[in-house]
Amino acid sequence: MSKRFNRPSRSTVIPLAAVSALVAGAALTGCGQQRDSSVYTVLNSSTDETYHRWDAQAMARCGKRLGVTVEQQSVPAAQVMTKALRMASSRSLPDIVQFDASEMPTFAEAGGLVDLRTLGLGTRDIPRGIVNFGSYKGTYYGAARSVNTLALFYNKDILDRAGLKVPATWAELRASAKKLTRGKRYGLALSAGGAEDGVFQFTPFMWSNGGDETRLDGPKVVQALDYWKSLLKDGSLSKSTVGWTQADVNDQFMAGNAVMMINGPWQVETLNTEKSLHWGIARIPVPRAGEKSVGPLGGAVLTVPNTGDEQRERTAGRIVACLSSEREQLTYALNSWMVPANEKAAAAWRRQVPELDALADQVAAARSRTARLGAGWTGVSLALQSAFQSALTGQSSQAALQRAQQRATSGN
C-alpha cells in the first residue's frame, strides 16, 4: 500500500491566551512528575512506520553517544500542539517537542521554549532563511534537521511526446497545461483546498510575483490568484482542485490524470513505487523569465520546552544538537527525500540524489511562512483558505482577497 504523506501538517488553531496560560504554569511550577534522569522523551508526529523507525534509530545513536535513553512519543501532526498543551497543563511536558515550524511561534510567544543558543547550539552552517525558519522575534528556538519546499513535477514521457520543454514562466506553464489537457487528463494538478495545504501551494505564486502576506488584497496577490483562476478557466485544472490535498494531487499525477503537478519531496517515495512513471522535477515557474522562484519552507523543528529544570534542558539541548548534526541530517534526508538544513550536509545530499537538485535550488530561495507575522500567520492562512474557496468558485479575486484581508486583521 502506498504511503500518503500530506505536508505541511494541518494545524489546530488554539487561542494564544490559552497557550500562554498553560505553558506559563508549566514553566513556573517545573516538572510535576518525578522523572528518570537517564530517560528523555521526544514528542513528534512520526506516526508513519518508516519515519518512526528512522527517528528511533537516530535517537538510539544519539542516546548512545550521550549516555542516555531517548524515547519518542508520536501523535498525528495535527495533534502535536494540543498534546503539548495537555502535557503542559499536567506539568509533564516532554524534554523535546518537534513542532511544525508554522506552529512553533505560538508556543514561543507564550514563553514556552528555551533559546537554543543558550544551550550551546550554533547556526554557523545553516542558511539564514532556515535559521529564520526556526526563530521567533530573532531568537533561535527550533533546530531543523531537514526542510522541504514545493517544486514542479512533470511526466517526462508525455512532455517529450508533445514536444514541449519544461515550463519556466507562468505563460509557458499556462500554454503547456492547456495543450496537455485532453479528455479526463488535465495539464496540471495543484491543491487549492481549504486547509494549510492550499495556502502552502499558493505562496510560490504570491511571493514570486512580489505579493506580501501583510496585504492580502494587494495587486500582486490578486494577480497570483487570478493566475490560478485562468488555469481553471482554461480547463487545465480540475474543478476538484478546491477540495484536493497535496496527497490527492499526487494520486492524480500517479494515475495519469495530470501531466504536471505542484508538490513536495515527501511524495518521492510513493512516486518511485510506480516503475513505469518517468518523472522529473523543476523549479516552480515564475511570472517573468529570469525572476527568482520563491517557495515556502516546510518541515519541523526540534525545540526544548521551558520546564524550569535547567539540568534536563541542557541535556535535551545536547540531544537536539546530535539529532540535527551534519551526519544525522544527511542520514535522515536520504531516507525521507527532504533537503538537509546544514549547508555541508546539503552539498553531500546533492551529490547523492542529483535528480532532486532543482529542489535544493528551490530551498535556497525559500521563505518561512511565519518569518514576518510570527504567530499571526495562522489568521492569514485561515483567511486565504476562505478566499480560495470563494474566488475559484465564482467570486472575483479582488473581492475574495479584500474579505480575506479584513478577516486577517480583525480576526473574524
Side-chain angles (χ1 to χ4, degrees):
M1 184 177 70
S2 65
K3 299 176 178 63
R4 293 174 60 85
F5 298 117
N6 187 25
R7 304 286 194 269
S9 66
R10 298 184 180 188
S11 305
T12 301
V13 180
I14 302 171
L16 180 60
V19 178
S20 298
L22 290 170
V23 300
L28 288 171
T29 56
C31 299
Q33 298 178 352
Q34 189 66 34
R35 303 193 185 192
D36 187 329
S37 61
S38 65
V39 179
Y40 287 76
T41 304
V42 180
L43 175 64
N44 63 22
S45 60
S46 299
T47 54
D48 181 83
E49 186 276 329
T50 51
Y51 278 80
H52 195 84
R53 173 164 40 85
W54 297 332
D55 277 336
Q57 291 168 350
M59 291 173 194
R61 288 191 295 269
C62 286
K64 185 176 181 180
R65 289 172 204 158
L66 299 174
V68 296
T69 299
V70 185
E71 300 176 344
Q72 62 181 323
Q73 183 175 359
S74 302
V75 298
Q79 297 176 22
V80 171
M81 175 65 81
T82 52
K83 177 70 173 179
L85 289 175
R86 283 197 298 271
M87 296 176 82
S89 69
S90 62
R91 300 194 302 278
S92 59
L93 275 167
D95 300 287
I96 297 165
V97 179
Q98 182 173 288
F99 282 115
D100 183 275
S102 65
E103 290 187 322
M104 178 273 293
T106 300
F107 222 78
E109 172 76 12
L113 300 176
V114 179
D115 180 351
L116 293 182
R117 288 191 173 97
T118 67
L119 300 179
L121 278 81
T123 58
R124 185 178 59 183
D125 294 321
I126 306 174
R128 173 53 50 188
I130 299 178
V131 173
N132 291 339
F133 180 68
S135 300
Y136 179 64
K137 292 185 176 179
T139 301
Y140 185 55
Y141 292 112
R145 288 184 292 170
S146 64
V147 292
N148 62 67
T149 190
L150 295 166
L152 179 73
F153 289 74
Y154 57 92
N155 186 308
K156 290 182 177 181
D157 295 336
I158 297 178
L159 249 67
D160 287 345
R161 286 198 297 268
L164 295 172
K165 64 178 183 179
V166 179
T169 66
W170 282 8
E172 291 174 357
L173 178 61
R174 184 177 180 184
S176 295
K178 189 173 183 178
K179 184 173 181 179
L180 292 165
T181 298
R182 292 286 184 274
K184 294 183 179 180
R185 187 189 75 190
Y186 294 92
L188 179 67
L190 56 79
S191 167
E196 185 69 16
D197 278 22
V199 180
F200 198 67
Q201 295 226 331
F202 183 65
T203 53
F205 295 89
M206 175 173 70
W207 288 339
S208 297
N209 197 43
D212 193 315
E213 56 268 37
T214 63
R215 189 186 168 196
L216 299 181
D217 56 352
K220 299 296 186 180
V221 185
V222 173
Q223 287 173 8
L225 189 50
D226 275 341
Y227 180 73
W228 269 17
K229 290 189 70 170
S230 73
L231 295 169
L232 199 61
K233 182 180 179 181
D234 289 346
S236 302
L237 287 179
S238 167
K239 291 180 180 179
S240 298
T241 193
V242 296
W244 280 347
T245 66
Q246 294 178 118
D248 295 328
V249 169
N250 192 59
D251 287 345
Q252 295 298 318
F253 182 73
M254 291 188 68
N257 297 329
V259 183
M260 299 178 288
M261 70 170 176
I262 305 295
N263 226 314
W266 52 88
Q267 307 293 5
V268 170
E269 184 178 5
T270 305
L271 288 171
N272 285 343
T273 63
E274 184 58 65
K275 301 304 181 185
S276 63
L277 176 61
H278 303 130
W279 56 272
I281 189 170
R283 299 184 201 183
I284 295 176
V286 292
R288 291 157 292 274
E291 294 181 333
K292 183 180 291 186
S293 182
V294 183
L297 277 173
V301 290
L302 295 167
T303 69
V304 176
N306 179 11
T307 62
D309 187 332
E310 294 184 1
Q311 182 175 347
R312 287 191 72 92
E313 289 170 3
R314 284 194 295 272
T315 301
R318 294 171 63 204
I319 295 169
V320 170
C322 179
L323 291 172
S324 59
S325 64
E326 181 181 338
R327 178 167 60 176
E328 289 296 341
Q329 281 194 29
L330 181 58
T331 299
Y332 185 79
L334 289 171
N335 281 333
S336 65
W337 303 98
M338 306 297 177
V339 182
N342 179 286
E343 289 178 323
K344 293 179 180 177
W349 180 88
R350 281 179 185 259
R351 291 192 294 270
Q352 294 190 50
V353 283
E355 66 272 23
L356 297 182
D357 197 57
L359 189 71
D361 291 336
Q362 190 86 56
V363 161
R367 281 177 47 189
S368 166
R369 287 163 285 166
T370 58
R372 294 190 179 184
L373 299 178
W377 171 261
T378 299
V380 165
S381 176
L382 291 172
L384 279 174
Q385 291 167 31
S386 180
F388 299 157
Q389 299 297 300
S390 298
L392 297 179
T393 55
Q395 191 175 38
S396 74
S397 297
Q398 182 73 57
L401 289 167
Q402 283 177 342
R403 177 60 180 143
Q405 180 64 20
Q406 291 171 357
R407 287 176 173 170
T409 54
S410 69
N412 297 321

